[in-house]
Amino acid sequence: MNRTLQTILLGLLTAFLFSAFIYFEEFNLTNRLLNTLFGLLALALFLYIPKKSILVAGFFIGLFWFYWIGYSFEYQGVGYMTPIVTIGFGLIYLLFFLPLYFTNKPYIRAILLFGLSFVEPFDWNWLQIELIFVDSYIGVYKYQLAVVLASLSLVSVTPKKYKYTPLLLLIFALNFTYPPQEDAPLKIKLIQTDIKQEYKWTREALSPTINTIYKEIQTAIAEQYDVVVLPESVFPLYLNNNPKIIKELLKASHHIAIIVGALLRENSKSYNVTYLFQNGNYQIAKKLVLVPFGEYIPLPKFAQKIINETFFSGASDFVTADQPTDFVIKGIKFRNAICYEATCSEIYKGDVKYLIASSNNAWFAPSIESTLQKLLMQYYARKNGVTIYHSANYKGSGIIK
């Protein structure tokens, strides 16, 4: 076989094995044994394949995991950026895995790969190396990733007679238990809407959307739910500037706790927020962690301004809260998370047992984005012993453990 072709195929195989668990979940084909084997093989290949295959693997992992990110640029009026962003993410993850290129020694690659598990390019943390084991027999803690990498790499320095004995170390990477996760002692209704992103923010969509929200709330009241949760920015407006809507929600809140996403305009600043309406009062939770390049630009100030004005029409200028917000509903405490936040470690700090998350996944429809988001939420939920109640527009609503 031509050496160049072999290099490309080995890189592609590595990327495929590293990404397969996402697509298995997307098409309801998840199998813990397959995920375990594919994950182990992917990491083994990273340790042993030729240097140039590392670059191919990194590039295609960027594509397989994040081809969808450019979709949202269509709604910013810069749709021509979509293929550029897609290729850009391929190049970012080629560079991400580049340190492995500079050595052929598996045990050094193992150390480098473990180090990369702590790296988040441009604050983008959706490629967690240990995530490949989230639905497998291997655990997702850092020490378990270290054991896997040590086991696979030590094969290369073990005498031939005992060559594969280091693989016995994999026993210590097996997942026997995670912290306990419990259901909240409340009857919670999670709403999944299906409002197309190109329609969501139009004037024509506003009245039907508001009527749909009111109808969902009344249905939940009739079904005797304690709480109804609606998606991120389901109200496509600055809710604090719409007293009539607030009045209606306050009235309904005497019968049911209402959690709903909207925007907030305060002191000339924009916030992506969640409102809790309960017992005739309301509370606002501001977003703590913004989406890189979607809600803020993770670059120096001079570059932020140029990119924001050129590609986002000044829209990428949301600001954040200083700390997470907890809602107390009928005596039960819930941590609030808005979309990307639910996949960030910051939101799980402190005393968190239940988390209410809301998303608008229509930005990236149709794609694997909502599936990858779900797997990441499972990853954090299991590591932290948290039960997540997720309401989304397009796809992804459900209880996540």
Side-chain angles (χ1 to χ4, degrees):
M1 183 185 296
N2 179 282
R3 180 167 292 185
T4 300
L5 179 60
Q6 184 179 28
T7 296
I8 294 171
L9 290 177
L10 279 171
L12 270 171
L13 177 61
T14 305
F16 167 75
L17 293 171
F18 194 87
S19 312
F21 76 103
I22 304 172
Y23 292 86
F24 287 159
E25 182 68 23
E26 172 73 11
F27 297 106
N28 298 313
L29 298 172
T30 294
N31 180 285
R32 293 181 74 190
L33 179 59
L34 274 181
N35 282 351
T36 303
L37 293 175
F38 280 26
L40 291 173
L41 286 170
L43 294 182
L45 283 169
F46 262 123
L47 302 183
Y48 291 95
I49 58 177
K51 290 182 174 184
K52 291 181 180 178
S53 295
I54 294 284
L55 306 183
V56 175
F59 180 80
F60 280 100
I61 285 170
L63 297 189
F64 291 163
W65 284 54
F66 303 123
Y67 69 88
W68 45 268
I69 287 181
Y71 288 9
S72 65
F73 283 70
E74 183 70 33
Y75 309 111
Q76 304 285 357
V78 285
Y80 64 88
M81 289 290 296
T82 298
I84 299 171
V85 172
T86 300
I87 297 300
F89 266 82
L91 294 173
I92 286 170
Y93 283 94
L94 180 154
L95 295 173
F96 178 84
F97 289 104
L98 182 63
L100 306 183
Y101 174 86
F102 296 103
T103 179
N104 282 319
K105 298 184 185 303
Y107 61 91
I108 296 180
R109 284 190 184 181
I111 293 169
L112 291 171
L113 200 54
F114 184 70
L116 288 174
S117 74
F118 294 91
V119 176
E120 299 175 0
F122 301 107
D123 290 341
W124 177 249
N125 71 335
W126 272 31
L127 196 147
Q128 301 283 340
I129 292 174
E130 55 269 43
L131 182 65
I132 64 177
F133 294 120
V134 70
D135 257 326
S136 76
Y137 294 112
I138 303 292
V140 297
Y141 293 106
K142 290 290 185 186
Y143 83 87
Q144 290 165 316
L145 176 62
V147 169
V148 168
L149 292 171
S151 173
L152 295 173
S153 62
L154 287 174
V155 169
S156 67
V157 294
T158 303
K160 190 173 182 179
K161 187 177 179 180
Y162 305 102
K163 190 172 184 63
Y164 295 105
T165 54
L167 296 181
L168 294 174
L169 290 173
L170 291 174
I171 293 171
F172 298 102
L174 295 176
N175 172 49
F176 294 104
T177 184
Y178 287 120
Q181 295 166 286
E182 301 174 7
D183 292 330
L186 296 175
K187 191 177 178 184
I188 301 172
K189 184 167 188 178
L190 302 171
I191 305 300
Q192 180 166 296
T193 54
D194 189 12
I195 305 170
K196 307 298 184 195
Q197 192 62 28
E198 62 268 26
Y199 177 67
K200 180 178 175 67
W201 298 94
T202 64
R203 184 180 297 274
E204 295 77 15
L206 186 57
S207 182
T209 297
I210 293 171
N211 290 335
T212 296
I213 295 168
Y214 288 162
K215 183 178 179 181
E216 292 286 4
I217 292 170
Q218 291 304 318
T219 300
I221 292 171
E223 293 170 347
Q224 298 185 322
Y225 279 89
D226 297 305
V227 188
V228 59
V229 185
L230 292 111
E232 174 190 15
S233 62
V234 70
F235 279 111
L237 43 77
Y238 291 106
L239 189 55
N240 60 315
N241 292 337
N242 288 269
K244 289 184 179 179
I245 298 175
I246 288 177
K247 183 179 179 181
E248 289 299 316
L249 294 173
L250 288 173
K251 187 189 303 181
S253 75
H254 289 287
H255 307 284
I256 191 171
I258 304 163
I259 295 177
V260 61
L263 301 179
L264 172 73
R265 191 69 176 170
E266 186 178 78
N267 299 323
S268 300
K269 295 180 180 179
S270 298
Y271 295 86
N272 187 358
V273 303
T274 302
Y275 285 76
L276 166 63
F277 293 86
Q278 181 177 217
N279 300 323
N281 296 294
Y282 71 87
Q283 179 183 351
I284 297 172
K286 297 174 181 176
K287 199 170 186 182
L288 178 72
V289 186
L290 298 181
V291 182
F293 292 103
E295 293 174 324
Y296 88 106
I297 309 299
L299 294 172
K301 289 288 184 184
F302 74 91
Q304 286 182 7
K305 185 173 182 180
I306 294 170
I307 292 175
N308 193 19
E309 295 299 330
T310 303
F311 299 119
F312 296 98
S313 302
S316 187
D317 60 354
F318 285 97
V319 290
T320 67
D322 297 322
Q323 59 187 14
T325 300
D326 292 327
F327 292 135
V328 177
I329 305 172
K330 297 184 183 297
I332 308 300
K333 186 169 72 171
F334 294 85
R335 175 65 50 85
N336 180 72
I338 303 173
C339 197
Y340 180 68
E341 293 188 304
T343 62
C344 296
S345 59
E346 296 94 320
I347 214 72
Y348 296 90
K349 291 179 180 177
D351 178 21
V352 185
K353 190 174 181 180
Y354 309 114
L355 186 142
I356 288 178
S358 58
S359 300
N360 176 23
N361 290 328
W363 283 102
F364 308 105
S367 74
I368 61 158
E369 179 269 340
S370 59
T371 297
L372 180 54
Q373 179 194 46
K374 175 189 172 185
L375 292 167
L376 281 156
M377 285 194 284
Q378 285 179 341
Y379 167 80
Y380 283 104
R382 291 172 183 177
K383 282 180 68 173
N384 294 283
V386 174
T387 301
I388 300 175
Y389 295 87
H390 184 218
S391 174
N393 182 41
Y394 171 56
K395 277 171 59 177
S397 293
I399 300 174
I400 297 172
K401 291 184 176 181

